[in-house]
Amino acid sequence: MITLYAKKKNDDEREITVLGFKFKYKTDKYQKRKPLEYYKNQPLEEKIKKISAQFKKKVGYRLNLENPQSFNEKIQWLKLYYHNPLMTIAADKYLAKDYVAQKIGKEYIIPTLFAWDRVDDIDFDKLPQQFVLKLNSGCGKNIICTDKNSLNISATKEKLNNWLKAANHYCYSYEWAYANIKPKIICEKYIDSLSGDLFDYKFLCYSGRVENMFITSNRKTGLNVTFYDRDFQKLPVTRKYPQSKTPLSKPDEYDKMIELAETLAQDFPFVRVDFYNIGKQIYFGEMTFYPGNGMESFTPREYDYIFGKMITLPEPMNPEKA
């Protein structure tokens, strides 16, 4: 008798064992996906059940939605019970540009050159020699082109199509701000100073005030996340990723970035506002309402509750509506 043992490795890869030998094979990860409306229409009890199971596995303790205290617990509460329509605009990397420009000024916005709903609509002949392609939702869906002559267009189209097929963030863990974002491909102006291993300054805003922030660095060699308080004093805490071993300097426009972040955060109980800072120039990155999906552990764990105390939960807004 031949014994087969199949094991899931990730969303699009399986591993099968035959007589002790392991073989990997690809699957069509889009074939059996349920539509977005299926997840939107799930009863609240089902959503809570799914989130609770994910939370226990990822964070290591039981989720308390009746009386949330930790940072991660309050992010889950906000997913389920605080549905401010303005969050959809702010989370959409395409629509957010006009919104942010109106709030703080267009000088902080990286220009959008083109935008398309479908990959087939892209005319690569009309694109400049250098540009950036990205999706308006999701994380890490960026293609940086420094020389169009060396760009593999067919591979680029395939990657973009796969990103467009990928499930909405809402389907994974009910990140409500993404539920109603219409998928779009953006072509941004290439800015040379933003293409390297750049520091990303991420300000955590609670009821419109920055209380702490972190810097992401060393993306090419792993990823470091280093936390600071509002006064740029380093905090003895990690969250999923290690701190930078190299001391980081206070950015040139730190105080200005705090001012801009607080202007953008005024309408929300919690939001993370990201910027890049090159000399005197500040560029807006994105606004995020559910950092790490609210499922990344703090070390030491007490900081999960220290940060959690800073979030004042609002009255529920449009719960269960997506």
Side-chain angles (χ1 to χ4, degrees):
M1 185 192 308
I2 296 178
T3 301
L4 302 181
Y5 172 68
K7 181 180 180 182
K8 180 177 179 180
K9 300 294 287 183
N10 55 44
D11 285 342
D12 63 340
E13 184 178 285
R14 298 291 186 273
E15 182 181 275
I16 191 167
T17 301
V18 182
L19 297 177
F21 295 94
K22 294 181 179 180
F23 302 91
K24 295 179 181 179
Y25 65 97
K26 295 288 184 178
T27 64
D28 182 358
K29 62 182 178 180
Y30 309 111
Q31 187 175 5
K32 297 183 179 180
R33 175 167 299 122
K34 294 182 175 66
L36 176 60
E37 292 302 317
Y38 168 85
Y39 297 94
K40 288 183 177 182
N41 293 329
Q42 282 183 306
L44 179 60
E45 293 77 11
E46 288 296 317
K47 297 175 183 178
I48 291 174
K49 182 179 179 181
K50 181 178 177 180
I51 284 180
S52 297
Q54 293 173 338
F55 190 90
K56 182 66 166 64
K57 182 178 180 179
K58 293 282 188 180
V59 187
Y61 60 90
R62 182 171 293 182
L63 173 63
N64 181 356
L65 287 173
E66 296 297 322
N67 185 27
Q69 298 296 314
S70 72
F71 179 88
N72 283 315
E73 285 178 329
K74 290 185 177 181
I75 294 298
Q76 305 310 316
W77 189 97
L78 290 167
K79 283 185 193 177
L80 294 168
Y81 299 110
Y82 185 73
H83 298 168
N84 182 347
L86 189 56
M87 295 166 64
T88 298
I89 295 173
D92 185 322
K93 293 180 174 65
Y94 178 66
L95 297 180
K97 293 190 178 190
D98 286 340
Y99 170 74
V100 171
Q102 291 175 23
K103 298 279 283 188
I104 62 174
K106 64 181 181 180
E107 63 268 28
Y108 302 107
I109 306 301
I110 299 172
T112 296
L113 304 178
F114 301 96
W116 312 274
D117 295 327
R118 304 183 309 141
V119 174
D120 290 342
D121 293 335
I122 302 174
D123 185 346
F124 282 87
D125 290 336
K126 292 184 178 180
L127 303 189
Q129 281 300 109
Q130 297 180 319
F131 55 86
V132 176
L133 296 176
K134 63 172 60 176
L135 254 64
N136 61 328
S137 66
C139 178
K141 296 183 171 80
N142 307 302
I143 297 172
I144 299 174
C145 177
T146 57
D147 180 9
K148 189 169 67 172
N149 294 331
S150 61
L151 180 69
N152 186 326
I153 293 179
S154 62
T156 298
K157 287 183 175 181
E158 182 179 5
K159 180 176 287 189
L160 291 170
N161 268 318
N162 285 338
W163 286 347
L164 286 174
K165 291 178 184 177
N168 186 295
H169 266 8
Y170 183 84
C171 301
Y172 296 123
S173 191
Y174 311 107
E175 295 180 73
W176 182 85
Y178 300 100
N180 297 309
I181 292 178
K182 181 182 178 182
K184 191 176 289 289
I185 304 162
I186 309 168
C187 179
E188 288 185 345
K189 180 180 178 180
Y190 174 82
I191 298 175
D192 183 63
S193 54
L194 295 181
S195 64
D197 189 8
L198 190 68
F199 294 148
D200 198 349
Y201 303 102
K202 300 174 179 289
F203 295 86
L204 305 180
C205 305
Y206 309 82
S207 300
R209 176 177 167 82
V210 172
E211 297 291 354
N212 37 55
M213 58 87 66
F214 61 90
I215 302 174
T216 59
S217 57
N218 300 321
R219 289 183 180 274
K220 291 184 178 180
T221 58
L223 183 65
N224 293 132
V225 172
T226 311
F227 280 89
Y228 297 84
D229 66 13
R230 181 186 176 91
D231 298 322
F232 206 73
Q233 298 298 308
K234 188 176 178 180
L235 297 173
V237 58
T238 59
R239 189 170 188 247
K240 187 176 181 178
Y241 301 99
Q243 294 187 356
S244 173
K245 295 181 179 179
T246 304
L248 303 179
S249 301
K250 185 177 180 179
D252 294 339
E253 298 297 311
Y254 182 74
D255 293 337
K256 183 63 176 179
M257 285 191 288
I258 286 182
E259 176 188 329
L260 296 175
E262 292 184 339
T263 299
L264 293 174
Q266 288 302 310
D267 296 315
F268 309 108
F270 171 81
V271 65
R272 194 193 79 205
V273 183
D274 301 356
F275 293 106
Y276 303 103
N277 181 201
I278 309 298
K280 296 294 183 181
Q281 179 62 53
I282 297 171
Y283 292 104
F284 168 74
E286 64 177 324
M287 297 174 70
T288 301
F289 296 95
Y290 320 109
N293 192 26
M295 294 188 188
E296 290 182 355
S297 298
F298 288 83
T299 304
R301 182 177 286 181
E302 66 182 291
Y303 273 88
D304 199 351
Y305 294 89
I306 291 172
F307 282 25
K309 287 182 180 179
M310 299 178 189
I311 299 179
T312 300
L313 293 178
E315 290 296 317
M317 177 181 285
N318 302 321
E320 293 194 77
K321 294 183 180 179

